Amino acid sequence: MRPILLERDGPVAQIRLHRPEAGNAINLALAEALAEAAAEVAADATIRCVVLTGTGRIFCAGGDVAAMATAGAEAPRLLRGLIDPLNRAILTLMTMPKPLLGVVNGAAAGAGLSLALIGDVVIAARSAHFTAAYTGVGLTPDGGMSWFLPRLIGLRRAQAMILTNQRLDAEAAERSGLVTATVDDAALAEEAAACVARLVAAPAAALGAARGLLLEGGAASLRDHLESEAVTIERSGAQAEAREGFAAFAARRKPNFQGV
């Protein structure tokens, strides 16, 4: 069984974590396959939106703790071997010039929580819940969790989740800003499809550039970021997307960004 399923439907690529018998836990094969799939969709200019989800009842249970438990003295080497390709995948998905939709179909723990954090839009099934989990097995966060979580929900809530292993249900995750929306499990696929349609219809280059600005903004000074915004909007104003947007505005019609 392949640990990652990469499915294409026109301008949409879906990356599906696919170890349902192990709660989609991340082993070396899954981490490497995820990095390869991320690189493939990021480089494909025909893909306008990427979806990240899991197979079965669990989104991702985190790292494969069962394998770590049997690794003995080799556990540190095993951990580093998993983390390096996982980090490549996350960095690629976060910096690619196209939007990422996270569809959290069930529990997200450990590095699974990290993967749930990286979407531009994250839709969670009402049965989903979110746990840092690391301190439960004597480990520290990975996959960017200690970077993403405070930025999304604030330092105090992040401390509770990481240091006290506080678990959030889907509705609490939505209230805190960890996810964008929570829907009934039966409506998850329909809501995801509607969101994909909106993202595919949006101006892809502008969304990609806006992703970059959002990622850089937390570390830049206001002066530097204002200049980055100015350079980026000037650049986007020269694109075919802007010409279509201006023309549609003047003609009082809906813009067709996919046609440019």
Side-chain angles (χ1 to χ4, degrees):
M1 183 181 292
R2 291 178 293 168
I4 291 290
L5 298 181
L6 176 56
E7 302 162 350
R8 297 167 181 268
D9 183 8
V12 181
Q14 179 175 262
I15 299 173
R16 183 181 292 275
L17 311 178
H18 192 58
R19 294 187 70 213
E21 78 291 347
N24 297 321
I26 302 169
N27 61 5
L28 182 58
L30 189 149
E32 290 179 339
L34 181 60
E36 291 170 5
E40 184 174 338
V41 299
D44 188 341
T46 67
I47 298 299
R48 298 175 64 90
C49 177
V50 179
V51 179
L52 178 64
T53 191
T55 299
R57 296 183 302 104
I58 295 175
F59 173 70
C60 179
D64 192 340
V65 179
M68 298 172 198
T70 61
E74 291 299 306
R77 188 187 299 274
L78 172 64
L79 284 163
R80 188 59 192 244
L82 294 178
I83 291 166
D84 284 347
L86 176 65
N87 284 351
R88 288 200 305 274
I90 288 172
L91 192 59
T92 300
L93 292 172
M94 281 296 299
T95 58
M96 64 183 179
K98 59 199 75 181
L100 176 67
L101 171 64
V103 180
V104 184
N105 54 292
L113 174 56
S114 296
L115 290 175
L117 297 175
I118 66 175
D120 300 295
V121 179
V122 179
I123 303 171
R126 208 167 300 280
S127 64
H129 53 81
F130 303 84
T131 315
Y134 293 97
T135 59
V137 290
L139 293 175
T140 54
D142 65 352
M145 184 187 297
S146 57
W147 193 91
F148 291 114
L149 201 57
R151 286 165 171 78
L152 287 170
I153 69 173
L155 178 60
R156 190 62 73 212
R157 287 193 179 105
Q159 287 169 323
M161 287 195 71
I162 292 174
L163 302 181
T164 74
N165 219 19
Q166 180 187 63
R167 180 172 120 170
L168 294 187
D169 62 26
E171 292 182 355
E174 181 180 353
R175 289 195 301 271
S176 72
L178 194 154
V179 303
T180 309
T182 299
V183 299
D184 290 339
D185 289 40
L188 184 64
E190 181 180 355
E191 184 64 26
C195 188
V196 164
R198 292 193 296 271
L199 291 171
V200 167
L207 262 61
R211 290 188 97 219
L213 287 170
L214 288 165
L215 193 59
E216 295 167 7
S221 68
L222 176 59
R223 184 182 301 276
D224 289 345
H225 197 64
L226 286 170
E227 178 60 21
S228 290
E229 285 185 331
V231 169
T232 304
I233 197 170
E234 179 184 16
R235 197 174 291 149
S236 67
Q239 301 292 321
E241 288 178 350
R243 292 194 293 274
E244 167 61 11
F246 297 154
F249 178 85
R252 297 184 179 181
R253 62 173 173 81
K254 187 176 181 179
N256 178 16
F257 294 117
Q258 287 185 261
V260 300

